[in-house]
Coordinates of all heavy atoms in Angstrom, one line a residue:
P1 N 18.7 -10.4 -8.6 CA 18.1 -9.2 -8.0 C 18.5 -8.0 -8.6 O 17.8 -7.0 -8.5 CB 18.8 -9.3 -6.6 CG 19.1 -10.7 -6.4 CD 19.4 -11.3 -7.7
D2 N 19.5 -7.9 -9.4 CA 19.9 -6.6 -10.1 C 19.1 -6.4 -11.4 O 19.1 -5.3 -11.9 CB 21.4 -6.7 -10.4 CG 22.3 -6.6 -9.2 OD1 21.8 -6.1 -8.1 OD2 23.4 -7.1 -9.2
Q3 N 18.4 -7.4 -11.8 CA 17.7 -7.3 -13.1 C 16.1 -7.2 -12.9 O 15.4 -7.0 -13.8 CB 18.1 -8.3 -14.1 CG 19.5 -8.2 -14.4 CD 19.9 -9.4 -15.4 OE1 19.1 -10.3 -15.6 NE2 21.1 -9.4 -15.9
V4 N 15.6 -7.6 -11.7 CA 14.2 -7.7 -11.4 C 13.9 -6.9 -10.2 O 14.6 -7.0 -9.2 CB 13.8 -9.2 -11.3 CG1 12.4 -9.3 -10.9 CG2 14.1 -10.0 -12.5
A5 N 12.8 -6.2 -10.3 CA 12.3 -5.5 -9.1 C 11.0 -6.1 -8.7 O 10.2 -6.4 -9.5 CB 12.1 -4.0 -9.4
V6 N 10.8 -6.3 -7.4 CA 9.6 -6.9 -6.8 C 9.1 -6.1 -5.7 O 9.8 -5.6 -4.9 CB 9.9 -8.4 -6.3 CG1 8.7 -9.0 -5.7 CG2 10.5 -9.2 -7.4
A7 N 7.8 -5.9 -5.8 CA 7.1 -5.1 -4.7 C 5.8 -5.8 -4.3 O 5.3 -6.5 -5.1 CB 6.8 -3.7 -5.2
G8 N 5.5 -5.6 -3.0 CA 4.3 -6.3 -2.5 C 3.3 -5.2 -1.9 O 3.6 -4.0 -2.1
T9 N 2.2 -5.7 -1.3 CA 1.3 -4.8 -0.8 C 1.1 -5.2 0.7 O 1.4 -6.3 1.1 CB -0.1 -4.8 -1.5 OG1 -0.6 -6.2 -1.4 CG2 0.0 -4.3 -2.9
D10 N 0.5 -4.3 1.5 CA 0.1 -4.6 2.8 C 1.2 -4.3 3.8 O 0.9 -4.3 5.0 CB -0.5 -6.0 3.1 CG -1.7 -6.2 2.2 OD1 -2.3 -5.2 1.7 OD2 -2.1 -7.3 2.0
D11 N 2.4 -4.2 3.5 CA 3.5 -4.0 4.4 C 3.5 -4.9 5.6 O 3.6 -4.5 6.7 CB 3.6 -2.6 4.9 CG 4.9 -2.2 5.5 OD1 6.0 -2.9 5.2 OD2 5.0 -1.4 6.4
V12 N 3.4 -6.2 5.4 CA 3.3 -7.2 6.4 C 4.7 -7.2 7.1 O 5.7 -6.9 6.5 CB 3.0 -8.7 5.9 CG1 1.5 -8.7 5.5 CG2 3.8 -9.1 4.9
A13 N 4.8 -7.5 8.4 CA 6.0 -7.4 9.2 C 7.2 -8.2 8.6 O 8.3 -7.7 8.6 CB 5.7 -7.9 10.6
V14 N 6.9 -9.4 8.0 CA 7.9 -10.2 7.5 C 8.7 -9.6 6.3 O 9.8 -9.9 6.0 CB 7.4 -11.6 7.1 CG1 6.6 -11.6 5.9 CG2 8.6 -12.6 7.0
S15 N 8.0 -8.6 5.6 CA 8.6 -8.0 4.4 C 10.0 -7.4 4.7 O 10.9 -7.5 3.8 CB 7.7 -6.8 3.9 OG 6.4 -7.3 3.6
A16 N 10.2 -6.8 5.9 CA 11.5 -6.2 6.2 C 12.6 -7.2 6.5 O 13.7 -6.9 6.4 CB 11.3 -5.3 7.4
F17 N 12.2 -8.5 6.8 CA 13.2 -9.5 7.1 C 13.5 -10.4 6.0 O 14.3 -11.3 6.2 CB 12.7 -10.2 8.4 CG 12.4 -9.3 9.5 CD1 11.2 -8.9 9.9 CD2 13.5 -8.7 10.2 CE1 11.0 -8.1 11.0 CE2 13.3 -7.9 11.3 CZ 12.0 -7.5 11.7
L18 N 12.8 -10.3 4.9 CA 13.2 -11.2 3.7 C 14.5 -10.8 3.1 O 15.0 -9.7 3.5 CB 12.1 -11.1 2.7 CG 10.7 -11.5 3.1 CD1 9.7 -11.2 2.0 CD2 10.7 -13.0 3.4
C19 N 15.1 -11.7 2.3 CA 16.3 -11.4 1.7 C 16.2 -11.5 0.2 O 16.1 -12.6 -0.3 CB 17.4 -12.3 2.2 SG 19.1 -11.9 1.6
P20 N 16.2 -10.4 -0.5 CA 16.3 -9.0 -0.1 C 15.0 -8.5 0.5 O 13.9 -9.1 0.2 CB 16.6 -8.2 -1.4 CG 15.9 -9.1 -2.4 CD 16.1 -10.5 -2.0
A21 N 15.1 -7.5 1.4 CA 13.9 -6.9 2.0 C 12.9 -6.5 0.9 O 13.3 -5.8 -0.1 CB 14.3 -5.8 2.9
L22 N 11.6 -6.8 1.1 CA 10.6 -6.5 0.1 C 10.0 -5.1 0.2 O 9.5 -4.7 1.2 CB 9.5 -7.5 0.3 CG 8.3 -7.5 -0.7 CD1 8.8 -7.8 -2.1 CD2 7.2 -8.4 -0.3
T23 N 10.1 -4.4 -0.9 CA 9.5 -3.1 -1.1 C 8.0 -3.3 -1.0 O 7.4 -4.2 -1.7 CB 9.9 -2.4 -2.3 OG1 11.2 -2.1 -2.3 CG2 9.0 -1.1 -2.6
T24 N 7.3 -2.5 -0.2 CA 5.8 -2.7 -0.1 C 5.1 -1.4 -0.1 O 5.7 -0.3 0.0 CB 5.4 -3.5 1.2 OG1 5.8 -2.7 2.3 CG2 6.0 -4.9 1.3
E25 N 3.8 -1.4 -0.1 CA 2.9 -0.3 0.0 C 2.1 -0.4 1.3 O 1.4 -1.4 1.5 CB 2.0 -0.2 -1.2 CG 1.1 1.0 -1.2 CD 0.1 1.0 -2.4 OE1 -0.2 -0.1 -2.8 OE2 -0.2 2.1 -2.8
Q26 N 2.2 0.6 2.1 CA 1.4 0.5 3.4 C 0.0 1.2 3.2 O 0.0 2.2 2.6 CB 2.2 1.3 4.5 CG 1.7 1.2 5.8 CD 2.7 1.9 6.8 OE1 2.9 3.1 6.6 NE2 3.3 1.1 7.7
Q27 N -0.9 0.5 3.6 CA -2.3 0.9 3.4 C -3.0 1.1 4.8 O -2.9 0.3 5.7 CB -3.1 -0.1 2.6 CG -2.5 -0.4 1.3 CD -3.1 -1.5 0.6 OE1 -4.3 -1.7 0.6 NE2 -2.4 -2.4 -0.1
P28 N -3.8 2.2 4.9 CA -4.5 2.4 6.2 C -5.8 1.6 6.3 O -6.9 2.1 6.0 CB -4.8 4.0 6.1 CG -5.0 4.2 4.7 CD -4.0 3.3 4.0
F29 N -5.7 0.4 6.7 CA -6.8 -0.5 6.7 C -8.0 -0.1 7.6 O -9.2 -0.3 7.2 CB -6.4 -1.9 7.2 CG -5.5 -2.6 6.2 CD1 -4.2 -2.9 6.5 CD2 -6.0 -3.0 5.0 CE1 -3.4 -3.5 5.5 CE2 -5.2 -3.7 4.0 CZ -3.8 -3.8 4.3
V30 N -7.7 0.5 8.7 CA -8.8 1.0 9.6 C -9.6 2.1 8.8 O -10.9 2.1 8.8 CB -8.3 1.6 10.9 CG1 -9.4 2.2 11.7 CG2 -7.7 0.4 11.7
Q31 N -8.9 3.0 8.2 CA -9.5 4.1 7.4 C -10.3 3.5 6.2 O -11.4 4.0 6.0 CB -8.5 5.1 6.9 CG -9.0 6.2 6.1 CD -8.0 7.2 5.6 OE1 -6.8 7.0 5.8 NE2 -8.4 8.3 5.0
V32 N -9.8 2.5 5.5 CA -10.4 1.9 4.4 C -11.8 1.3 4.9 O -12.8 1.4 4.3 CB -9.5 0.9 3.7 CG1 -10.3 0.0 2.7 CG2 -8.4 1.6 3.0
G33 N -11.7 0.5 6.0 CA -12.9 -0.1 6.5 C -13.9 0.9 6.9 O -15.1 0.7 6.5
S34 N -13.6 2.0 7.5 CA -14.5 3.0 7.9 C -15.2 3.6 6.6 O -16.4 3.8 6.6 CB -13.9 4.1 8.7 OG -13.4 3.7 9.9
M35 N -14.4 3.9 5.6 CA -14.9 4.4 4.4 C -15.9 3.5 3.6 O -16.9 3.9 3.1 CB -13.8 4.8 3.4 CG -13.0 6.0 3.9 SD -11.6 6.3 2.8 CE -11.3 8.0 3.1
V36 N -15.6 2.2 3.7 CA -16.4 1.2 3.1 C -17.8 1.2 3.8 O -18.8 1.2 3.2 CB -15.8 -0.2 3.2 CG1 -16.8 -1.3 2.8 CG2 -14.6 -0.3 2.2
V37 N -17.8 1.2 5.2 CA -19.0 1.2 5.9 C -19.8 2.5 5.6 O -21.0 2.4 5.3 CB -18.7 1.1 7.4 CG1 -20.0 1.3 8.2 CG2 -18.2 -0.3 7.7
E38 N -19.2 3.7 5.6 CA -19.9 4.9 5.3 C -20.5 4.9 3.9 O -21.6 5.3 3.7 CB -18.9 6.1 5.4 CG -18.5 6.4 6.8 CD -17.4 7.5 6.9 OE1 -17.2 8.2 6.0 OE2 -16.8 7.5 8.0
T39 N -19.7 4.3 2.9 CA -20.2 4.3 1.5 C -21.4 3.3 1.5 O -22.4 3.7 0.8 CB -19.1 3.8 0.6 OG1 -18.0 4.7 0.7 CG2 -19.6 3.7 -0.8
L40 N -21.3 2.2 2.1 CA -22.5 1.2 2.1 C -23.7 1.8 2.7 O -24.8 1.7 2.2 CB -22.1 -0.1 2.8 CG -21.1 -1.0 2.0 CD1 -20.7 -2.1 2.9 CD2 -21.8 -1.5 0.8
I41 N -23.6 2.5 3.8 CA -24.7 3.1 4.5 C -25.3 4.2 3.6 O -26.5 4.4 3.4 CB -24.3 3.8 5.9 CG1 -24.0 2.6 6.8 CG2 -25.4 4.7 6.4 CD1 -23.4 3.0 8.2
G42 N -24.5 5.0 2.9 CA -24.9 6.0 2.0 C -25.7 5.4 0.9 O -26.7 5.9 0.5
R43 N -25.2 4.3 0.3 CA -25.9 3.6 -0.8 C -27.3 3.1 -0.3 O -28.3 3.1 -1.0 CB -25.1 2.5 -1.4 CG -23.8 2.9 -2.0 CD -24.1 3.7 -3.3 NE -24.9 3.0 -4.2 CZ -24.6 2.8 -5.4 NH1 -23.5 3.2 -5.9 NH2 -25.4 2.1 -6.2
M44 N -27.3 2.6 0.9 CA -28.6 2.1 1.4 C -29.6 3.2 1.7 O -30.8 2.9 1.6 CB -28.3 1.3 2.8 CG -27.6 0.0 2.5 SD -27.0 -0.9 4.0 CE -28.1 -0.5 5.2
K45 N -29.1 4.4 1.9 CA -30.0 5.5 2.1 C -30.3 6.2 0.8 O -31.0 7.2 0.7 CB -29.3 6.6 3.0 CG -29.2 6.1 4.4 CD -28.5 7.2 5.3 CE -28.5 6.8 6.7 NZ -27.9 7.8 7.6
G46 N -29.8 5.6 -0.4 CA -30.2 6.1 -1.7 C -29.2 7.1 -2.3 O -29.5 7.7 -3.4
F47 N -28.1 7.4 -1.7 CA -27.1 8.3 -2.2 C -26.4 7.6 -3.4 O -26.3 6.4 -3.4 CB -26.1 8.8 -1.2 CG -26.7 9.5 0.0 CD1 -26.7 9.1 1.3 CD2 -27.4 10.8 -0.3 CE1 -27.3 9.8 2.3 CE2 -27.9 11.5 0.8 CZ -27.8 11.0 2.0
G48 N -25.9 8.4 -4.3 CA -25.2 7.9 -5.5 C -23.9 7.3 -5.1 O -23.3 7.5 -4.0
A49 N -23.3 6.7 -6.1 CA -21.9 6.1 -5.9 C -20.9 7.3 -5.8 O -21.1 8.4 -6.4 CB -21.6 5.3 -7.1
S50 N -19.8 7.0 -5.2 CA -18.8 8.0 -5.0 C -17.4 7.4 -5.2 O -17.3 6.2 -5.1 CB -18.9 8.7 -3.7 OG -18.6 7.8 -2.7
T51 N -16.5 8.2 -5.6 CA -15.1 7.8 -5.7 C -14.3 8.2 -4.5 O -14.4 9.3 -4.0 CB -14.4 8.4 -7.0 OG1 -15.2 8.0 -8.1 CG2 -13.0 8.0 -7.1
V52 N -13.6 7.3 -3.9 CA -12.8 7.5 -2.7 C -11.4 7.2 -3.0 O -11.1 6.2 -3.5 CB -13.3 6.6 -1.5 CG1 -12.5 6.9 -0.3 CG2 -14.8 6.9 -1.2
V53 N -10.5 8.2 -2.7 CA -9.1 7.9 -2.8 C -8.4 7.9 -1.4 O -8.7 8.7 -0.6 CB -8.4 9.1 -3.6 CG1 -7.0 8.9 -3.7 CG2 -9.1 9.2 -5.0
V54 N -7.8 6.8 -1.2 CA -7.1 6.5 0.1 C -5.6 6.7 -0.1 O -5.0 6.1 -0.9 CB -7.5 5.1 0.6 CG1 -6.8 4.8 2.0 CG2 -9.0 4.9 0.7
P55 N -5.0 7.5 0.7 CA -3.6 7.7 0.7 C -2.8 6.4 1.1 O -3.2 5.8 2.1 CB -3.3 8.9 1.6 CG -4.4 8.9 2.6 CD -5.6 8.3 1.8
T56 N -1.8 6.1 0.4 CA -0.9 5.0 0.8 C 0.5 5.5 0.9 O 0.8 6.6 0.5 CB -1.0 3.9 -0.3 OG1 -0.5 4.4 -1.5 CG2 -2.4 3.3 -0.4
Q57 N 1.3 4.7 1.4 CA 2.8 5.1 1.6 C 3.6 4.0 1.1 O 3.5 2.8 1.5 CB 3.1 5.3 3.1 CG 4.5 5.8 3.3 CD 4.9 6.1 4.7 OE1 4.0 5.9 5.6 NE2 6.1 6.4 5.0
L58 N 4.6 4.3 0.2 CA 5.5 3.4 -0.4 C 6.7 3.2 0.6 O 7.2 4.2 1.1 CB 6.1 3.9 -1.7 CG 7.1 2.9 -2.4 CD1 6.4 1.6 -2.8 CD2 7.7 3.6 -3.6
I59 N 7.0 1.9 0.9 CA 8.1 1.6 1.9 C 9.2 1.0 1.0 O 9.1 -0.2 0.8 CB 7.6 0.6 3.0 CG1 6.3 1.1 3.6 CG2 8.8 0.5 4.0 CD1 6.4 2.4 4.4
P60 N 10.1 1.8 0.4 CA 11.1 1.2 -0.4 C 12.2 0.4 0.4 O 12.6 0.8 1.5 CB 11.8 2.4 -1.1 CG 11.5 3.5 -0.1 CD 10.2 3.2 0.6
R61 N 12.4 -0.8 -0.1 CA 13.4 -1.6 0.5 C 14.3 -2.2 -0.6 O 14.3 -1.8 -1.8 CB 12.7 -2.7 1.4 CG 12.0 -2.2 2.5 CD 11.6 -3.3 3.5 NE 10.8 -2.7 4.6 CZ 9.5 -2.8 4.8 NH1 8.8 -3.5 3.9 NH2 9.0 -2.4 5.8
E62 N 15.1 -3.2 -0.3 CA 16.1 -3.8 -1.2 C 15.6 -4.4 -2.4 O 16.4 -4.7 -3.4 CB 17.0 -4.7 -0.4 CG 17.8 -4.0 0.7 CD 18.5 -5.0 1.6 OE1 18.3 -6.2 1.5 OE2 19.3 -4.6 2.4
S63 N 14.3 -4.9 -2.5 CA 13.8 -5.6 -3.6 C 13.6 -4.8 -4.9 O 13.2 -5.3 -5.9 CB 12.5 -6.3 -3.2 OG 11.5 -5.4 -3.0
T64 N 13.7 -3.5 -4.8 CA 13.6 -2.6 -5.9 C 14.8 -1.7 -6.1 O 15.6 -1.5 -5.1 CB 12.4 -1.7 -5.8 OG1 12.5 -0.9 -4.7 CG2 11.1 -2.5 -5.7
A65 N 14.9 -1.1 -7.2 CA 16.1 -0.2 -7.5 C 16.1 1.0 -6.7 O 17.1 1.7 -6.5 CB 16.1 0.2 -9.0
A66 N 15.0 1.3 -6.0 CA 14.9 2.5 -5.1 C 15.9 2.5 -4.0 O 16.2 3.5 -3.3 CB 13.5 2.6 -4.6
R67 N 16.4 1.3 -3.7 CA 17.4 1.2 -2.6 C 18.7 2.0 -2.7 O 19.3 2.3 -1.8 CB 17.7 -0.3 -2.4 CG 18.5 -0.9 -3.5 CD 18.8 -2.4 -3.2 NE 19.6 -2.9 -4.3 CZ 19.1 -3.6 -5.3 NH1 17.8 -3.9 -5.3 NH2 19.8 -4.1 -6.3
E68 N 19.0 2.4 -4.0 CA 20.3 3.0 -4.1 C 20.1 4.4 -4.9 O 20.5 4.5 -6.0 CB 21.3 2.1 -4.9 CG 21.4 0.8 -4.3 CD 22.8 0.2 -4.5 OE1 23.7 0.9 -4.9 OE2 23.0 -0.9 -4.1
G69 N 19.5 5.3 -4.2 CA 19.4 6.7 -4.7 C 18.3 6.9 -5.8 O 18.1 7.9 -6.3
M70 N 17.5 5.8 -6.1 CA 16.5 5.9 -7.1 C 15.2 6.5 -6.5 O 14.3 6.9 -7.3 CB 16.2 4.5 -7.7 CG 17.4 3.8 -8.4 SD 17.8 4.6 -9.9 CE 16.4 4.1 -10.9
A71 N 15.0 6.5 -5.2 CA 13.8 6.9 -4.6 C 13.5 8.4 -4.9 O 12.3 8.8 -4.9 CB 13.8 6.7 -3.0
A72 N 14.5 9.2 -5.1 CA 14.3 10.6 -5.4 C 13.7 10.9 -6.8 O 13.2 12.0 -7.1 CB 15.6 11.4 -5.2
R73 N 13.7 9.9 -7.7 CA 13.3 10.2 -9.0 C 11.8 10.3 -9.1 O 11.0 9.7 -8.5 CB 13.8 9.0 -9.9 CG 15.2 9.1 -10.2 CD 15.6 8.1 -11.2 NE 17.0 8.2 -11.4 CZ 17.6 7.4 -12.3 NH1 17.0 6.5 -13.0 NH2 18.9 7.6 -12.5

């Protein structure tokens, strides 16, 4: 664990209970789903493609070096 950092996605509930606890990225799935539907409807109406950036949140836990003062870097 001191030589390898592991991170996951989706911030599933079990991530916090693993040993070591898994660092994950939390994603707003409801917002993503809404944006997908809006984009598809726009495309069907003939609008051009667009780029969408969805904010995510890093949840640092013990599986990465961020656990000991590294998060501020």
Side-chain angles (χ1 to χ4, degrees):
D2 293 335
Q3 296 178 356
V4 176
V6 177
T9 58
D10 301 341
D11 193 31
V12 292
V14 72
S15 298
F17 300 105
L18 297 173
C19 187
L22 183 64
T23 294
T24 62
E25 179 182 33
Q26 193 175 59
Q27 304 172 40
F29 291 111
V30 173
Q31 182 181 2
V32 169
S34 295
M35 290 177 156
V36 167
V37 171
E38 289 175 18
T39 301
L40 287 173
I41 291 171
R43 294 297 302 235
M44 290 169 32
K45 291 181 177 181
F47 297 118
S50 61
T51 300
V52 178
V53 177
V54 179
T56 61
Q57 181 179 0
L58 181 65
I59 311 296
R61 296 192 178 106
E62 297 172 348
S63 69
T64 62
R67 67 180 179 261
E68 305 212 9
M70 300 287 289
R73 288 187 179 180

